[in-house]
């Protein structure tokens, strides 16, 4: 049963990786505008749960705990692009978190905007990296203990997809760990 579960996770992650490669090719080739026909009403807590489930193996191997508050919220967005945004933010938090660490996620609405804050207990963001963090191919000075080295594209793609939704991602200065804030219009 455990091997079947791992095989299913690996299969899901391979399909996700293939989709991300296709999105990356599209991202690099066209930088197209978001079409209104691509948008659907999405339950953010449900999408966050799907993203966490997709990272189940990594979370389990590092014995990570998730805490926070998820306000029930729906927004009008491209589901593929929104999933990429969440996946990249969660991937970084998981990658840089220490074993037995805690990842905190707060989801709330402020007027006509959705705001999600994500904090981890990793080494944080070097102040020298903060201005270039969302540049394509840029990799900060903080070294991850992950076995697979990143490409430096995750945050750049996430930021571009957030901008296509008229939103943004910002790195919030923190004394310990990394803190990212995603802001998106609800538009329902």
């Amino acid at each position: 049963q455990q091997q079947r579960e791992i095989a299913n996770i690996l299969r899901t992650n391979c399909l996700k990786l293939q989709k991300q490669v296709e999105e990356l090719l599209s991202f690099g080739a066209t930088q197209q505008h978001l079409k209104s026909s691509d948008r659907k009403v999405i339950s953010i807590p449900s999408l966050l749960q799907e993203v966490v489930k997709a990272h189940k193996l990594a979370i389990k191997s590092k014995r990570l705990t998730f805490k926070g508050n998820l306000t029930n919220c729906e927004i009008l967005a491209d589901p593929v692009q929104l999933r990429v945004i969440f996946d990249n933010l969660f991937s970084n938090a998981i990658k840089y978190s220490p074993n037995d660490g805690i990842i905190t996620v707060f989801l709330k609405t402020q007027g006509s905007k959705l705001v999600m804050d994500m904090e981890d207990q990793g080494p944080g963001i070097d102040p020298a990296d903060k201005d270039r963090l969302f540049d394509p191919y840029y990799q900060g000075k903080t070294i991850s203990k992950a076995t697979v080295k990143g490409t430096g594209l995750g945050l750049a793609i996430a930021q571009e997809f957030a901008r296509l939704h008229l939103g943004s991602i910002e790195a919030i200065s923190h004394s310990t760990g990394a803190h990212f804030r995603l802001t998106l219009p609800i538009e329902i």
Side-chain angles (χ1 to χ4, degrees), residues 42-91:
I42 301 165
S43 166
I44 300 303
S46 296
L47 181 59
L48 289 173
Q49 289 172 353
E50 288 175 24
V51 170
V52 169
K53 188 176 178 181
H55 291 280
K56 184 178 179 181
L57 193 59
I59 292 166
K60 192 174 183 179
S61 73
K62 292 183 93 173
R63 299 174 307 279
L64 298 176
T65 303
F66 284 87
K67 292 186 177 180
N69 183 18
L70 301 182
T71 299
N72 192 15
C73 178
E74 293 181 335
I75 71 169
L76 186 62
D78 179 298
V80 173
Q81 291 182 358
L82 199 58
R83 185 179 184 103
V84 168
I85 293 169
F86 288 138
D87 188 67
N88 281 314
L89 291 174
F90 272 88
S91 292

Side-chain angles (χ1 to χ4, degrees), residues 139-164:
Q139 294 187 349
K141 295 178 178 104
T142 304
I143 297 172
S144 165
K145 294 179 182 174
T147 55
V148 179
K149 188 177 181 198
T151 61
L153 290 170
L155 288 175
I157 292 170
Q159 181 72 286
E160 183 63 25
F161 285 168
R163 286 182 180 150
L164 286 173

